[in-house]
Amino acid sequence: MDALAGALAGVDAVVHLAGTVRGARPRDFAAANSEAVTHLCAAALRQAKPPAMLLVSSLAATEPQLSDYAASKRAGEQALAAHPQIDSTVIRPPAVYGPGDREMTPLFRLMRRGWILVPGNPAQKLSFLYVDDLADAILCWLQAPRRFRGRQFSIDDGAEDGYDWPAIAAAAAGARKTRMLVIPTPLLQGAAKANVGLSRLLGRAPMLTPGKVRELGHGRWVGGGDDFAAATGWQPRHNLASGLELTFNG
């Protein structure tokens, strides 16, 4: 804690961008997604003038009952809200992708080859955000970090009402012919349980868990950016098609 407090000396603004998306138990997510926020707040309050703080949370925090990950993101927001002395802001991005991403890019590349794997719910609506646009949003906040005290924003790439699966397929594959395969939820649940058991034997943090299956099957993960745009002037530069083109070529 002393080292963290020392690192914040003379700092005007802090962005909490750390996070864990893999794990089999609540404690696997808590350290980075919630406990770190508590420690950062404690260190900030040791300063003569606590720095303003931006917590980059997740759209998943809107549904904390679905998974340990979502619950940990909501807990991080609550940890920040428990310290009203800090000029704090929360943004909730949707699925963020871009060059170097190891979670979603393989799925997008599979789509580009013509195979659209839909995890359980073909009626879903989903929002996305290209990584550079998230960085631009953070930079916009940094222009006047104390101006947005106590506010919470959801942001996305500007696609009205998000994307359905045919639109996601078109963005990834363009004019290529695609085949859509819906993976039944019971099959996903069985695979998730087996994956958790195997990960424990191997000592690895799993991505596919029963909680993740509940997230994947949720019908609506749609953000929005109008409030944040009005407050900061931020505008996303990439829709899913242009962002994926940069991702594939990155």
Side-chain angles (χ1 to χ4, degrees):
M1 182 62 70
D2 289 341
L4 185 56
L8 295 184
V11 171
D12 186 60
V14 175
V15 178
H16 184 286
L17 193 56
T20 297
V21 297
R22 290 174 171 265
R25 309 171 182 83
R27 65 174 179 268
D28 295 335
F29 300 96
N33 297 348
S34 58
E35 293 170 4
V37 180
T38 298
H39 297 322
L40 190 57
C41 288
L45 290 173
R46 291 174 61 177
Q47 310 304 313
K49 182 180 180 181
M53 193 176 302
L54 175 65
L55 174 61
V56 180
S57 182
S58 169
L59 194 57
T62 61
E63 301 288 347
Q65 76 284 357
L66 290 179
S67 67
D68 293 333
Y69 168 75
S72 71
K73 283 297 188 178
R74 174 65 72 86
E77 295 179 0
Q78 292 170 335
L80 185 58
H83 300 283
Q85 313 96 308
I86 298 174
D87 294 334
S88 64
T89 308
V90 174
I91 60 173
R92 289 172 166 174
V96 178
Y97 67 97
D101 168 57
R102 293 181 295 178
E103 307 300 344
M104 290 191 297
T105 298
L107 297 176
F108 285 133
R109 290 194 181 279
L110 188 62
M111 292 181 192
R112 197 171 178 89
R113 293 195 292 270
W115 290 98
I116 314 302
L117 301 184
V118 179
N121 186 354
Q124 273 183 318
K125 288 290 187 71
L126 304 169
S127 287
F128 294 91
L129 188 64
Y130 185 63
V131 63
D132 287 6
D133 287 328
L134 175 58
D136 287 345
I138 293 170
L139 290 173
C140 282
W141 176 83
L142 284 167
Q143 300 306 306
R146 299 184 186 276
R147 179 181 171 189
F148 313 108
R149 178 174 183 167
R151 298 193 64 179
Q152 181 182 95
F153 302 96
S154 293
I155 61 175
D156 63 19
D157 69 2
E160 186 175 354
D161 202 34
Y163 298 85
D164 59 16
W165 279 100
I168 295 169
R176 297 173 182 84
K177 184 178 179 180
T178 61
R179 294 184 178 183
M180 190 172 295
L181 177 63
V182 179
I183 305 174
T185 298
L187 181 60
L188 285 170
Q189 291 172 336
K193 290 177 182 178
N195 190 47
V196 169
L198 182 62
S199 68
R200 287 173 177 169
L201 287 175
L202 298 176
R204 297 177 180 174
M207 186 66 179
L208 184 65
T209 64
K212 181 57 68 175
V213 172
R214 290 190 292 273
E215 286 182 38
L216 291 171
H218 186 61
R220 185 176 177 82
W221 290 116
V222 176
D226 291 346
D227 289 348
F228 190 72
T232 66
W234 171 81
Q235 291 291 337
R237 292 178 289 150
H238 301 285
N239 61 20
L240 186 57
S242 65
L244 284 178
E245 196 62 34
L246 291 170
T247 299
F248 294 142
N249 295 324

